[in-house]
Amino acid sequence: MTIRFVLLVNKQGQTRLAQYYEYLTIDERRALEGEIVRKCLARSENQCSFVEHRNYKIIYRRYASLFFLVGVDGEENELAILEFIHCVVETMDRYFGNVCELDIMFHLEKAHFMLEEMVMNGCIVETNKVNILAPIQLMDKSS
Amino acid sequence: MSSQGGWGSSKEFLDLVKSIGEANSQAEEERLVASEIEMLKRRNVEPDLPHKKMEEYIIRLVYIEMLGHDASFGYIQAVKMTHDDNLLLKRSGYLAVTLFLNKDYDLIILIVNTIQKDLKSDNYLVCCAALTAVCKLLNEETIPAVLPQVVELLTHPKELVRNKAVMALHRFHQRAPSTGSQLILCDKDPSVMSAAVCALFDPVTADAQGYKNFTTSFVSILKQVAEHQLPNLYDYHQTPAPFNQCVLAEILKRSDANSNIGNAILYECICIITTIHVSPRLLEVATEITSRFVKSENHN
């Protein structure tokens, strides 16, 4: 019933954002990311967005040059996660204004803060964009 | 917001990000990262870096670890940054610490003190930053140190703090089942309520009998959500434990099959229905919906 990790990877397989909700060492992460990305990049448009890898289910969605990948354990609802990914994108879009890969690279910490507001303990706790962005905007104003 | 680089980013950071973005091969990327690590190590031993520089330094460390290289020489700097008074720096420090460390590291002890102080802060954003860190970092030994403070924050005037306090307790329950926890299910703010639903899912699946009295609350919540009584901003909802068949049937009838989230809800309902003993009428509705799914053109 939980999300295990969230990854943003570009078409070349470079990781742009990685948030893990269970601990993996750097080598394990590297291996995992490499394998998953290869699997997802090899899939065509007509195949469904859900992949099984080891004991995770990976739900992915492509936006321009970026792949959003969410790894969940066996019992999570895939369609809901697909919508969650879209919610994340819409939130980032609202904050950055027409978000692109560069925005995420240059403001990595802000992207992480947004994700932190939305997912805690691997559960989706907030999808209301106003609530998600409020603390971040307040923080921007006070700095 | 411009994508030319945020305020305060130095030219070096911009160059690093750009060149990594443009690196054509694994070898080139490795070379860039290696030289970056060298430079950061040198900076590490410099005393008294200005704080903005420190933040950028930490973000670069996060970058390097994300690319798969070890940056453990810089962990202590991240820990130091959590002490900072500036909210952005503090939060970035907490972020770095949660990304680098996990519950078994000894450095956690250093953080617990800072967390305790921040949980008592007047600034609610600082409390939230501390609560977020609490969810990621603590284990059985360190939980008792912050537990009383977290329980007190359950009654904080700001709903964001209550929300995070609920999730922190959920985490404690996962790590140390002996922590007794009372959760406020019927809080007036929907996000606290949904956090509480999440948090209750685990204990309820473990011991369904003991939570029978929550059934009426669950049913009313589900009814509220299903009847669109929540403000329009909340368009995602989750079905909690499978106690309420009649309410599920209402959702089945109302969901719009063309929206993805409607489909997600239907899917969940079908899963639930197939796992519990139901009336024939519900089964009919379920099979009708399933055939709709299978015939649908959407490949998902």
Side-chain angles (χ1 to χ4, degrees), chain A residues 124-135:
Chain A
I124 301 172
V125 291
E126 185 66 77
T127 50
N128 177 335
K129 299 186 192 62
V130 172
N131 284 358
I132 295 166
L133 295 178

Side-chain angles (χ1 to χ4, degrees), chain B:
Chain B
M1 257 220 171
S2 98
S3 53
Q4 301 312 307
W7 51 264
S9 293
S10 75
K11 183 148 189 320
E12 286 171 357
F13 182 54
L14 298 184
D15 286 340
L16 171 70
V17 169
K18 260 178 63 181
S19 48
I20 291 189
E22 287 161 10
N24 286 325
S25 70
Q26 185 70 11
E28 198 181 323
E29 193 185 296
E30 304 256 335
R31 207 173 26 90
L32 282 167
V33 173
S35 61
E36 176 72 13
I37 290 183
E38 274 311 305
M39 205 212 343
L40 287 173
K41 278 192 177 150
R42 260 180 285 134
R43 288 278 182 81
N44 196 20
V45 298
E46 262 173 52
D48 296 338
L49 269 178
H51 290 190
K52 283 285 148 64
K53 270 285 173 207
M54 184 58 80
E55 194 218 348
E56 191 193 298
Y57 170 82
I58 302 284
I59 306 281
R60 277 148 92 170
L61 285 174
V62 168
Y63 230 87
I64 292 175
E65 279 234 351
M66 194 167 72
L67 293 174
H69 306 267
D70 178 73
S72 43
F73 58 89
Y75 291 172
I76 188 72
Q77 299 293 348
V79 171
K80 283 211 291 209
M81 202 157 85
T82 58
H83 299 162
D84 204 291
D85 286 327
N86 177 307
L87 181 58
L88 178 59
L89 296 185
K90 187 187 274 282
R91 198 148 177 203
S92 303
Y94 274 129
L95 172 68
V97 161
T98 52
L99 288 172
F100 292 152
L101 309 178
N102 81 325
K103 49 186 170 36
D104 297 327
Y105 273 78
D106 293 329
L107 283 176
I108 301 280
I109 316 280
L110 295 174
I111 310 252
V112 173
N113 218 338
T114 323
I115 290 183
Q116 280 177 320
K117 201 164 60 88
D118 285 338
L119 285 174
K120 298 197 187 92
S121 160
D122 288 333
N123 182 341
Y124 81 93
L125 292 174
V126 173
C127 290
C128 292
L131 281 168
T132 317
V134 155
C135 281
K136 297 247 183 86
L137 291 174
L138 300 192
N139 62 356
E140 289 99 52
E141 293 145 17
T142 42
I143 285 175
V146 295
L147 184 59
Q149 198 56 37
V150 173
V151 173
E152 204 184 296
L153 285 174
L154 276 176
T155 48
H156 194 279
K158 272 285 176 187
E159 66 278 359
L160 185 61
V161 179
R162 294 202 298 270
N163 193 341
K164 291 189 188 275
V166 165
M167 288 319 288
L169 283 175
H170 175 215
R171 163 77 171 202
F172 293 168
H173 187 90
Q174 278 178 340
R175 298 281 153 207
S178 57
T179 356
S181 42
Q182 279 166 326
L183 299 169
I184 310 165
L185 198 56
C186 301
D187 190 297
K188 53 183 170 351
D189 188 278
S191 40
V192 183
M193 176 193 73
S194 63
V197 167
C198 246
L200 273 181
F201 185 84
D202 281 342
V204 161
T205 43
D207 169 30
Q209 286 303 106
Y211 286 85
K212 275 263 154 71
N213 51 333
F214 278 113
T215 312
T216 41
S217 322
F218 278 138
V219 173
S220 70
I221 291 172
L222 206 45
K223 263 217 159 87
Q224 269 182 26
V225 178
E227 289 163 10
H228 301 282
Q229 278 178 22
L230 291 178
N232 283 340
L233 295 168
Y234 295 89
D235 66 356
Y236 170 77
H237 103 271
Q238 38 195 330
T239 46
F243 297 137
N244 23 35
Q245 305 176 16
C246 46
V247 186
L248 285 179
E250 301 241 41
I251 299 174
L252 283 175
K253 282 192 231 142
R254 278 169 216 234
S255 285
D256 167 21
N258 286 329
S259 76
N260 263 338
I261 200 61
N263 283 337
I265 298 170
L266 286 179
Y267 177 64
E268 185 83 300
C269 294
I270 293 177
C271 287
I272 293 177
I273 287 176
T274 51
T275 52
I276 55 176
H277 181 59
V278 294
S279 68
R281 188 181 63 85
L282 270 178
L283 268 177
E284 267 172 28
V285 183
T287 41
E288 197 236 332
I289 309 252
T290 321
S291 61
R292 238 199 294 160
F293 267 129
V294 171
K295 284 192 229 143
S296 145
E297 285 169 355
N298 182 324
H299 55 82
N300 283 330

Side-chain angles (χ1 to χ4, degrees), chain A residues 40-56:
Chain A
C40 293
L41 287 177
R43 289 168 80 82
S44 73
E45 289 268 313
N46 288 330
Q47 290 174 288
C48 95
S49 301
F50 316 138
V51 180
E52 284 195 22
H53 179 83
R54 300 196 202 164
N55 52 342
Y56 303 120

Side-chain angles (χ1 to χ4, degrees), chain A residues 16-17 92 95-96 99-114 136 140, chain B residues 1-9 13-14 17 55 59 63 88 95:
Chain A
R16 292 294 174 228
L17 185 148
M92 290 193 183
Y95 181 72
F96 290 115
V99 67
C100 62
E101 191 181 336
L102 280 178
D103 283 323
I104 298 177
M105 288 169 74
F106 284 121
H107 300 281
L108 185 59
E109 74 280 7
K110 300 281 165 52
H112 268 283
F113 292 156
M114 274 183 254
I136 303 176
D140 286 339
Chain B
M1 257 220 171
S2 98
S3 53
Q4 301 312 307
W7 51 264
S9 293
F13 182 54
L14 298 184
V17 169
E55 194 218 348
I59 306 281
Y63 230 87
L88 178 59
L95 172 68

